[in-house]
């Protein structure tokens, strides 16, 4: 099942996602940087929720500080003044990582259509993310009308945000994925190994705050 889903996703990537990512790269660097900053700033709210659930109050304060500075001084996260002030990005947290910190084993590895590689624990974590992600809750479960500009925080705004983040990530990693594809005897096995190692690193970093990995370990493939 996983290999069939992997081939399906790889075909979609070749036909749609990679061409879109290459088109996105035509945009000026400062525009792409602003988009990446803004989506990362919104994503930090999910990290904040997981910092709290993991009992990492220092990490929660750090994440909240970054969000507050970048949302205000950084104009809704378009700029990243927090890093310039020494409050660096210490990585993303999700509910799958939180479950790992709580002691949940990863379970079996499998590949989901479009969403890609996961494990039993991380698949449950995907569902859990919906309940603790403030952005998801605001756009899906709350009727909020912003009178300024007559905007509506509705469901499609969440998917715009997630889709934009995915395109930005894919654009950053075109060469990395191409390199893995060229140099792998079995691309499925290579990406499986990379995914499982990446998840284990992030969970260990959540448990031991001695060293924190970069925000996007997958960019180092």
């Amino acid at each position: 099942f996983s290999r069939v889903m992997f081939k399906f996703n790889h075909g979609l990537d070749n036909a749609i996602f990679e061409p879109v990512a290459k088109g996105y790269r035509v945009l000026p660097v400062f525009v792409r940087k602003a988009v990446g900053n803004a989506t990362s700033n919104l994503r930090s709210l999910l990290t904040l929720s997981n910092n709290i659930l993991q009992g990492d109050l220092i990490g929660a304060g750090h994440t909240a500080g970054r969000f507050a500075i970048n949302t205000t001084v950084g104009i809704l996260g378009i700029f990243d003044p927090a890093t310039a002030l020494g409050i660096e990005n210490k990585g993303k947290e999700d509910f799958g990582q939180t479950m790992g910190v709580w002691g949940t084993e990863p379970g079996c590895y499998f590949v989901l259509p479009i969403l890609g590689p996961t494990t039993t624990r991380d698949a449950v974590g995907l569902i859990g993310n919906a309940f603790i992600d403030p952005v998801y809750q605001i756009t899906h479960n709350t009727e909020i009308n912003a009178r300024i500009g007559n905007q509506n925080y509705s469901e499609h705004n969440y998917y715009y945000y997630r889709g934009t983040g995915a395109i930005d990530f894919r654009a950053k990693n075109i060469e990395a994925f191409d390199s893995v594809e060229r140099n792998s005897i079995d691309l499925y096995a290579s990406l499986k190994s990379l995914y499982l190692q990446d998840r284990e690193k992030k969970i260990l970093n959540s448990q031991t705050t001695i060293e924190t990995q970069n925000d996007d370990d997958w960019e180092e493939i």
Side-chain angles (χ1 to χ4, degrees):
F1 170 83
S2 290
R3 284 187 176 272
V4 169
M5 286 300 100
F6 175 76
K7 289 181 179 179
F8 172 75
N9 289 343
H10 194 215
L12 279 180
D13 182 65
N14 289 334
I16 301 174
F17 302 136
E18 186 175 7
V20 170
K22 288 180 176 178
Y24 173 76
R25 273 195 171 186
V26 175
L27 296 175
V29 174
F30 74 89
V31 174
R32 286 183 277 135
K33 183 69 174 176
V35 170
N37 287 341
T39 55
S40 179
N41 190 54
L42 285 174
R43 174 61 175 76
S44 68
L45 290 173
L46 178 59
T47 295
L48 176 60
S49 298
N50 283 284
N51 286 146
I52 295 170
L53 289 174
Q54 292 169 19
D56 182 7
L57 299 183
I58 294 176
H62 184 96
T63 303
R66 274 188 58 84
F67 178 78
I69 292 170
N70 286 343
T71 302
T72 54
V73 182
I75 311 175
L76 300 179
I78 293 175
F79 302 101
D80 184 15
T83 297
L85 293 172
I87 310 175
E88 297 182 355
N89 191 343
K90 291 192 174 182
K92 298 175 182 176
E93 300 289 338
D94 57 55
F95 194 63
Q97 289 167 253
T98 296
M99 292 173 67
V101 172
W102 290 348
T104 307
E105 295 296 323
C108 67
Y109 171 90
F110 57 98
V111 180
L112 293 171
I114 300 178
L115 296 177
T118 190
T119 61
T120 305
R121 179 185 63 207
D122 290 342
V124 174
L126 288 174
I127 300 171
N129 284 339
F131 291 97
I132 63 174
D133 184 357
V135 178
Y136 183 92
Q137 291 299 320
I138 288 172
T139 55
H140 280 68
N141 299 326
T142 309
E143 291 294 332
I144 296 181
N145 290 315
R147 299 304 180 187
I148 300 175
N150 194 31
Q151 296 175 344
N152 180 51
Y153 291 108
S154 56
E155 185 175 327
H156 64 272
N157 296 126
Y158 177 79
Y159 296 109
Y160 289 156
Y161 143 64
R162 291 304 302 272
T164 302
I167 292 170
D168 183 69
F169 173 79
R170 186 64 181 90
K172 290 177 181 176
N173 289 281
I174 288 175
E175 290 80 12
F177 278 107
D178 287 348
S179 177
V180 172
E181 188 170 1
R182 284 194 307 270
N183 295 296
S184 296
I185 297 174
D186 184 344
L187 182 59
Y188 169 85
S190 295
L191 289 177
K192 175 182 177 180
S193 177
L194 286 166
Y195 175 82
L196 292 175
Q197 289 179 56
D198 177 71
R199 295 300 290 173
E200 185 176 357
K201 283 181 184 177
K202 287 180 176 176
I203 290 166
L204 289 174
N205 286 328
S206 297
Q207 291 174 324
T208 59
T209 55
I210 297 173
E211 181 181 356
T212 305
Q213 292 292 323
N214 184 273
D215 187 56
D216 287 309
D217 288 329
W218 277 84
E219 291 185 19
E220 300 175 4
I221 333 183

